[in-house]
Amino acid sequence: MKFFRDKRFAVLWTVLRIWLGYEWISAGFEKISNPTWVGSKAGVAITGFLKGALAKATGEHPLVQGWYANFIKTVALPNAKVFSYLVAYGELLVGISLILGALTIVGLLAGAFMNLNYMLAGTTSTNPNLYTVAILLMAAGANAYVFGLDRFIVPKLGKLFNKNSNIKTVT
């Protein structure tokens, strides 16, 4: 759609990107400052969250699907401390990426993946809104980071990958 690619809308995408980054940084900083997420009691908060998700996996119309409840039981809960650090620092890094416009698409994908997991765990809150904004920004592509560090990073990465590519093109 032209709306996403039109350079005149780059300011709109930048404002949305920075707002989304602020939301992620705020959430990440809150967790990093909390010893039940990061520190002496790491894993306590996420264990409570995950057990709450498991409670939503029962009944006639469960909010959490069986396959995701199984993932929680077999992977996430046994590794709650690791996931606690991953979530806290992941949220912070997504926020930094989006505010700076550095590795923006990677940040958007990581943020959307976290939002998706929160929703799969039966938590709506602001997650559908944040997820939707991330999808819109991904659709905007390069217009999402016209006013960001990716304006300089992406061309350098492109040259680096093309220079180091062993793939021969057939002509």
Side-chain angles (χ1 to χ4, degrees), residues 29 34 71 97 112 123 136 141 162:
F29 186 71
N34 183 334
F71 166 77
S97 165
T123 302
L136 290 172
N162 286 335

Side-chain angles (χ1 to χ4, degrees), residues 61-77:
H61 301 287
L63 292 174
V64 176
Q65 296 177 19
W67 68 269
Y68 198 77
N70 190 49
F71 166 77
I72 291 170
K73 284 184 219 172
T74 59
V75 178
L77 273 173

Side-chain angles (χ1 to χ4, degrees), residues 18 23 32 73 103 118 133 138 157:
I18 291 170
E23 293 296 314
I32 288 170
K73 284 184 219 172
L103 300 175
Y118 300 147
V133 170
M138 282 188 260
L157 286 176

Side-chain angles (χ1 to χ4, degrees), residues 125-161:
S125 182
T126 61
N127 290 300
N129 299 338
L130 301 179
Y131 184 81
T132 301
V133 170
I135 298 298
L136 290 172
L137 289 168
M138 282 188 260
N143 269 349
Y145 55 79
V146 165
F147 301 109
L149 295 179
D150 277 343
R151 185 175 187 177
F152 308 102
I153 295 170
V154 170
K156 293 205 183 295
L157 286 176
K159 287 179 186 175
L160 177 69
F161 284 111

Side-chain angles (χ1 to χ4, degrees), residues 85-106:
Y85 279 89
L86 283 173
V87 168
Y89 284 103
E91 288 181 352
L92 186 68
L93 289 172
V94 165
I96 291 168
S97 165
L98 297 179
I99 287 174
L100 296 177
L103 300 175
T104 304
I105 300 301
V106 173

Side-chain angles (χ1 to χ4, degrees), residues 15-33:
V15 169
L16 280 175
R17 188 194 80 225
I18 291 170
W19 170 80
L20 186 59
Y22 174 79
E23 293 296 314
W24 280 112
I25 260 185
S26 297
F29 186 71
E30 186 177 311
K31 287 176 180 68
I32 288 170
S33 303

